[in-house]
Amino acid sequence: MQPALKSTYKAPPLLPGWTEHKAPTGHTYYYNVETKESTYKRPVATAAPPTAPAASPASSFWQHQAVPQLNLSDPNVANAFMSQYGQPQHQPGQQRGGHGPGQRGGFQARPKPQPVDKPRSKVAIPGHEPWILVYTKYGRRFAYNSTKNTSYWRIPEKLMPAILELDKARIRQKAEGIESDQVAASEEPSRPAAPEQQQKDYDSSEYEEVEVTDDEDGEREDDGHASKRQRTEDLEDAENNGPVEFTEADIAAQLAAMGADYNEDYEMGEGYDDYGQGEAAAPLSETDARELFKDMLSDFNINPYSPWDILLEQGKIVDDPRYTVLPTTKARKEVWEEWSRVKIQELKELRQKQEKKDPRIAYFAMLQEKATPKLYWAEFKRKFKREDCMKDVKMADKDREKWYREYISRLKLPQSALKSDLKKLLESVPLSQLHNRSSTSSLPPAVLTDLRYWSLDTKSRDEFVEGYIAGLGPPPDSTGQQGQEEDEATAKAKEERRKREKALQDRERAVQEEKHRQEKKLQFERARLREEERELERAMQVSKKGLQSQLAPQDA
Amino acid sequence: MPPIRPSSKRKPPPDGFSDIEEDLLIFSNKMKDAQNAPSDNIPKHQAQWPIFQISHQRSRYIYELYYEKEAISRQLYDWLLKNNYADAALIAKWKKQGYEKLCCLRCIQTKETNFNSTCVCRVPRAQMKGEDREVQCVSCGCRGCASTD
Ligand SMILES: [Zn+2]
Ligand SMILES: [Zn+2]
């Protein structure tokens, strides 16, 4: 089997530049940042022994498409490709998918969730009518008050006698069962060690006996936390109401609620839980998750025009923790779709704005950079004919020539004249366009399309303009408010992003802690089960007759 | 096969081409790889599958950019069709009801098949039973492209 192979096999080191990744399909592949190549074949030094392609033999033709730019000119890669390609495709549950994995259904990347404990059977507790004793799949049990809709791992004291009766009745049944079934009885003592968590079916009544001995050896009374266990007011009026139907949904809700009580249970060494998927951590809101995913796309500078499949193939985002804030590939694609539409729209608008920019600005900027009295217009034109602004059809060549001559003649003026010209220009611009919040990088077109602005050398010009702007008043109300609103909008967006990133961190930490706690708990449970195992064996050694005689008084 | 990137002699592509140039190049490279891939040890009918698939993906990409996201101009879209970056005939089918996900034109031709009907991949998945659901069509390797799939 593959897992066994994997655990003993040690992969040779990757060649420099290559990194290992997991494709959404679960395949390992390798990516080279520099060459932007990717491959299934582990890139190792040629001396290294050949390694099997990491893809499973069951990999389908479509899954292949998850690898971009397979370099099939490399015979090794090609062979690996073909060897998988030629495999029969037995993949039950494989999505029918036309072409293109992202198109329908897509990848099934997420591992199946761990089995979760759930109620299996229930029994009314005689004499305590609203109370029900619920047994779970993993053999745990809890008391449930169907009226108050509350449940307790720790059996309330006042229910204990009645439950003890139930347990005794069950032992009796069990003992009779042994009588009628020799095989079962003889097998019982040699039962293998403590049941594993992964074992799903504790159908066995054995486990129930574990619980019984649990009660009988007085472990519950021993732990000394009785006062802390239970809010007695919950129990006081519990008997006032009749029994209530206990539906599947109720049970599910109860188990979910029990997840929250779980900490206390654990501290006391009680309870047995399987909420390993981080349910205990406060979940991220869906909006936060979506926004985090979008932040990630923006941070990676993903081209919004790129197709989703190629994005996945390149694997840039799959290792980011924000990739998994959304649970399914379908959800991810949906958010990507939304993000890409908005981004494309933004880009469009930005370009429209740029297009509106006066073509003269680029031309004048070039004049400032390249024009010199040493060149006649014809020479200048020939020399720079490849420049965009020389080809721009929005300007006539005649105008370009006129501006060139004017610019050259201005070059011959003294600095003081140029400065006073610039001052005149600036003074002609209304306060709504030029004010103390303007900056040298955001000057209005009225300034930028005037040769007087371009005639001074950049450094002294910018200094001059800066000084002039500083002496201006604030912009008239309307435009100023707009600017302020924009500032507030960006500040708000920043704050929101900070919040959701914190939520993500919190969640990750909580998941870590939960994992840690699960491990500790598992260890504890194993130890406890071993102990109970011994108890059970002892109990089983009590002969059938002995047991029956023990119980005889109650029967009478 | 689409032309190699336009040379300086040719008229430059319409605005917006640079937004998708890189991804088109990825598709072109994939296509080249698929065409150069050795086909000795795979069944003959399967040899063309990767080519069909890449061609489909690329057409789909351009179709979605133009019709769904409105991300490219009509000018650029026409230019891409003219230069064979996308299969205009296939896209024309996608616009028709019942053919929204069609894999390739071969799969709706009735003449070549034995039963004088369209390809097995056109049968809605809901109508398939058991192992038939995993079937791939012979012509292009499609696993199912009925609109309801
Ligand atoms: Zn098809
Ligand atoms: Zn087809």
Side-chain angles (χ1 to χ4, degrees):
Chain A
M1 286 299 292
Q2 215 153 13
L5 275 176
K6 262 184 190 155
S7 60
T8 50
Y9 172 69
K10 203 157 182 296
L14 288 168
L15 286 175
W18 290 89
T19 46
E20 189 176 310
H21 302 268
K22 265 274 191 299
T25 50
H27 295 149
T28 306
Y29 70 95
Y30 305 91
Y31 179 71
N32 189 316
V33 204
E34 272 139 50
T35 62
K36 297 209 166 57
E37 271 180 286
S38 50
T39 171
Y40 271 147
K41 187 177 182 296
R42 189 179 178 85
V44 292
T46 39
T51 56
S56 78
S59 70
S60 78
F61 163 67
W62 304 119
Q63 284 172 326
H64 252 296
Q65 303 311 317
V67 177
Q69 298 166 318
L70 263 183
N71 183 8
L72 291 174
S73 60
D74 174 349
N76 287 325
V77 179
N79 287 339
F81 174 73
M82 285 309 159
S83 65
Q84 294 165 48
Y85 186 9
Q87 292 284 344
Q89 284 140 20
H90 299 303
Q91 265 200 315
Q94 174 84 34
Q95 305 249 351
R96 254 156 86 90
H99 291 292
Q103 195 185 323
R104 252 177 294 164
F107 304 102
Q108 296 159 309
R110 295 282 292 170
K112 277 191 184 155
Q114 305 252 312
V116 171
D117 203 355
K118 57 177 176 226
R120 182 174 205 123
S121 62
K122 63 182 188 215
V123 54
I125 302 171
H128 298 272
E129 282 329 329
W131 288 91
I132 292 168
L133 189 63
V134 180
Y135 290 89
T136 73
K137 192 170 98 183
Y138 288 147
R140 296 187 291 163
R141 59 186 192 176
F142 61 87
Y144 173 70
N145 184 323
S146 51
T147 314
K148 308 222 108 195
N149 211 27
T150 49
S151 55
Y152 303 97
W153 285 119
R154 197 159 284 280
I155 309 292
E157 302 274 9
K158 66 178 219 175
L159 302 176
M160 289 297 240
I163 290 174
L164 213 62
E165 284 309 306
L166 283 174
D167 290 339
K168 280 180 181 166
R170 227 189 17 250
I171 289 184
R172 209 174 313 136
Q173 272 173 5
K174 176 83 179 171
E176 279 154 17
I178 292 169
E179 190 174 34
S180 63
D181 191 346
Q182 283 292 331
V183 184
S186 64
E187 265 179 13
E188 211 58 52
S190 61
R191 210 157 39 83
E196 292 286 283
Q197 187 188 10
Q198 284 80 3
Q199 248 173 288
K200 286 184 193 113
D201 260 330
Y202 286 93
D203 174 47
S204 45
S205 40
E206 297 157 17
Y207 202 90
E208 290 169 5
E209 281 181 10
V210 170
E211 289 289 346
V212 173
T213 56
D214 199 18
D215 281 345
E216 283 179 343
D217 69 16
E219 196 183 318
R220 270 164 221 271
E221 281 79 33
D222 282 347
D223 68 22
H225 288 283
S227 57
K228 191 178 157 195
R229 285 173 204 161
Q230 210 47 77
R231 275 152 292 163
T232 39
E233 66 265 25
D234 277 347
L235 305 174
E236 236 106 72
D237 49 358
E239 282 157 289
N240 298 342
N241 304 300
V244 169
E245 190 55 41
F246 194 31
T247 66
E248 286 292 315
D250 289 335
I251 295 175
Q254 280 317 301
L255 274 170
M258 271 148 37
D261 294 340
Y262 155 71
N263 272 348
E264 200 188 343
D265 284 338
Y266 175 57
E267 297 305 335
M268 294 179 185
E270 261 282 316
Y272 177 52
D273 215 331
D274 196 33
Y275 294 87
Q277 293 283 299
E279 265 106 320
L284 282 170
S285 79
E286 202 196 312
T287 325
D288 276 351
R290 292 172 77 90
E291 291 307 312
L292 279 164
F293 196 84
K294 289 181 193 170
D295 291 344
M296 175 187 71
L297 293 169
S298 301
D299 288 353
F300 275 88
N301 264 327
I302 299 299
N303 178 356
Y305 292 88
S306 281
W308 172 245
D309 294 346
I310 287 184
L311 186 62
L312 285 185
E313 286 165 12
Q314 289 180 330
K316 277 189 236 169
I317 54 170
V318 297
D319 292 333
D320 193 284
R322 288 168 293 182
Y323 182 75
T324 44
V325 294
L326 296 171
T328 61
T329 308
K330 190 165 167 259
R332 289 174 200 137
K333 190 182 178 192
E334 207 181 280
V335 174
W336 163 81
E337 185 103 34
E338 194 180 291
W339 173 88
S340 67
R341 278 171 197 265
V342 170
K343 278 279 160 180
I344 287 171
Q345 210 44 48
E346 281 175 7
L347 276 177
K348 266 190 184 170
E349 279 162 24
L350 197 75
R351 276 174 202 166
Q352 260 163 15
K353 260 186 213 164
Q354 276 170 349
E355 259 169 43
K356 280 189 205 135
K357 220 166 124 181
D358 200 298
R360 282 177 290 176
I361 297 171
Y363 180 64
F364 289 172
M366 192 196 84
L367 287 183
Q368 184 172 51
E369 198 185 323
K370 312 234 157 99
T372 152
K374 286 179 217 154
L375 292 174
Y376 291 114
W377 164 245
E379 291 168 313
F380 179 84
K381 192 183 156 188
R382 199 176 334 112
K383 190 165 179 193
F384 298 108
K385 65 176 180 207
R386 287 195 178 266
E387 298 285 329
D388 282 339
C389 55
M390 295 298 279
K391 295 185 289 191
D392 195 330
V393 290
K394 289 174 199 120
M395 287 179 285
D397 228 18
K398 211 175 65 196
D399 287 332
R400 269 192 280 258
E401 181 178 354
K402 191 187 86 193
W403 290 323
Y404 184 79
R405 293 184 190 284
E406 192 185 334
Y407 185 80
I408 296 295
S409 67
R410 290 188 63 79
L411 283 182
K412 294 163 190 163
L413 295 174
Q415 282 273 328
S416 58
L418 292 176
K419 271 188 185 162
S420 76
D421 277 357
L422 180 56
K423 186 157 180 279
K424 268 184 227 151
L425 166 65
L426 295 175
E427 280 165 356
S428 71
V429 180
L431 196 62
S432 59
Q433 290 179 35
L434 195 65
H435 40 73
N436 62 1
R437 278 201 221 161
S438 306
S439 78
T440 49
S441 57
S442 66
L443 292 171
V447 174
L448 297 175
T449 55
D450 198 302
L451 270 180
R452 286 175 287 181
Y453 172 75
W454 298 96
S455 305
L456 265 175
D457 68 285
T458 330
K459 191 167 167 280
S460 34
R461 180 196 68 199
D462 285 352
E463 276 170 12
F464 185 85
V465 174
E466 228 164 285
Y468 179 82
I469 287 173
L472 288 173
D477 262 1
S478 61
T479 49
Q481 208 132 41
Q482 199 185 357
Q484 215 166 359
E485 265 166 35
E486 261 167 45
D487 286 350
E488 273 165 27
T490 34
K492 202 172 160 229
K494 261 190 197 161
E495 173 62 14
E496 271 164 13
R497 179 173 170 153
R498 199 193 57 75
K499 270 191 201 154
R500 59 179 176 261
E501 279 174 352
K502 185 165 180 303
L504 177 66
Q505 279 170 9
D506 288 352
R507 187 184 81 144
E508 280 176 343
R509 198 170 35 238
V511 168
Q512 260 337 93
E513 280 167 10
E514 179 68 6
K515 228 189 206 164
H516 187 64
R517 216 162 37 217
Q518 291 290 337
E519 275 161 21
K520 269 171 70 182
K521 183 161 61 76
L522 193 62
Q523 281 172 9
F524 177 87
E525 277 302 317
R526 288 215 170 110
R528 194 178 74 116
L529 282 172
R530 270 195 297 279
E531 179 54 36
E532 285 170 353
E533 196 74 9
R534 279 193 287 277
E535 287 291 339
L536 182 65
E537 268 170 42
R538 238 174 286 149
M540 293 310 289
Q541 276 157 14
V542 179
S543 72
K544 177 196 76 191
K545 275 228 168 78
L547 189 62
Q548 272 170 342
S549 66
Q550 243 181 305
L551 294 165
Q554 259 117 18
D555 285 338
Chain B
M1 207 204 142
I4 303 152
R5 284 169 56 188
S7 72
S8 54
K9 278 179 213 157
R10 269 207 208 92
K11 203 172 158 246
D15 280 352
F17 181 75
S18 58
D19 295 327
I20 56 173
E21 197 174 9
E22 213 178 296
D23 290 308
L24 290 176
L25 201 63
I26 290 175
F27 280 121
S28 293
N29 288 339
K30 277 184 171 189
M31 186 62 100
K32 260 183 255 166
D33 287 346
Q35 283 163 338
N36 296 334
S39 54
D40 327 328
N41 51 359
I42 51 166
K44 202 180 162 200
H45 71 274
Q46 290 184 10
Q48 294 294 307
W49 287 1
I51 294 165
F52 273 102
Q53 208 230 340
I54 295 159
S55 153
H56 172 102
Q57 278 187 333
R58 186 169 53 190
S59 293
R60 196 83 206 174
Y61 170 54
I62 290 164
Y63 170 85
E64 282 172 2
L65 279 181
Y66 182 65
Y67 285 103
E68 289 180 6
K69 294 193 177 171
E70 293 171 15
I72 56 174
S73 66
R74 174 91 221 180
Q75 236 185 336
L76 178 56
Y77 176 71
D78 287 341
W79 185 90
L80 290 167
L81 291 190
K82 209 177 110 207
N83 288 277
N84 291 322
Y85 281 100
D87 183 343
L90 185 58
I91 288 180
K93 291 288 176 207
W94 290 341
K95 289 189 246 172
K96 287 188 184 165
Q97 212 201 340
Y99 295 88
E100 291 90 344
K101 295 170 183 173
L102 178 65
C103 56
C104 73
L105 293 169
R106 260 211 255 178
C107 286
I108 48 167
Q109 282 170 0
T110 52
K111 284 170 204 159
E112 285 177 29
T113 61
N114 295 336
F115 309 104
N116 212 24
S117 66
T118 52
C119 176
V120 63
C121 68
R122 299 290 306 147
V123 180
R125 184 169 168 77
Q127 293 176 22
M128 310 272 276
K129 279 176 203 155
E131 280 181 23
D132 283 350
R133 287 178 179 229
E134 312 310 326
V135 138
Q136 277 181 283
C137 86
V138 171
S139 44
C140 70
C142 173
R143 287 178 183 277
C145 61
S147 294
T148 51
D149 278 3

